Amino acid sequence: MTKGWGRPFEASIKVDGRTLVALRDAGEYIAALPPKVHNAPEWLAAMEALLLVVERGDPTMFVRTGFMRALNRHYLPAFNPKGKEKEPHWGRRKLKRDQ
């Protein structure tokens, strides 16, 4: 695998009207964040993944995953205690044997 800041992502990241295509773009985006956001644990993990990928030549998917987790750090999915997406169908057909 190749190393370096010029390596492209397998799939680009779209954020704030920008398209991040290479590792350098992701590094510049993180460096431009305000200090309070920049020092959040999710962004620190994304930066660590970015540096490991640049230095060791690991797959760029590690950076993409960390970056997306940091971008969506405040998203909390709604809790569904039933564990299903759909509501149950109460008007089920009765079988012949149950009549």
Side-chain angles (χ1 to χ4, degrees), residues 26 34 53-54 57 71:
V53 168
V54 168
L71 284 174

Side-chain angles (χ1 to χ4, degrees), residues 25-43:
D25 299 334
E28 290 171 355
Y29 181 85
I30 294 172
L33 291 172
K36 186 175 181 180
V37 176
H38 189 272
N39 292 327
E42 295 87 0
W43 282 111

Side-chain angles (χ1 to χ4, degrees), residues 10-96:
E10 285 89 11
S12 60
I13 301 171
K14 295 184 183 196
V15 60
D16 297 335
R18 288 177 61 182
T19 302
L20 308 179
V21 180
L23 296 175
R24 177 175 285 111
D25 299 334
E28 290 171 355
Y29 181 85
I30 294 172
L33 291 172
K36 186 175 181 180
V37 176
H38 189 272
N39 292 327
E42 295 87 0
W43 282 111
L44 293 175
M47 285 187 287
E48 185 175 351
L50 178 64
L51 291 173
L52 285 173
V53 168
V54 168
E55 291 172 358
R56 294 178 24 185
D58 291 342
T60 58
M61 187 56 72
F62 294 147
V63 175
R64 182 176 170 74
T65 303
F67 204 88
M68 298 309 287
R69 286 190 66 163
L71 284 174
N72 297 311
R73 69 189 181 283
H74 295 300
Y75 173 74
L76 183 63
F79 177 68
N80 185 354
K82 295 178 185 173
K84 294 184 179 180
E85 292 287 326
K86 296 182 187 179
E87 290 296 319
H89 180 62
W90 297 113
R92 286 194 156 160
R93 281 182 63 193
K94 303 250 184 223
L95 297 175
K96 184 116 178 141

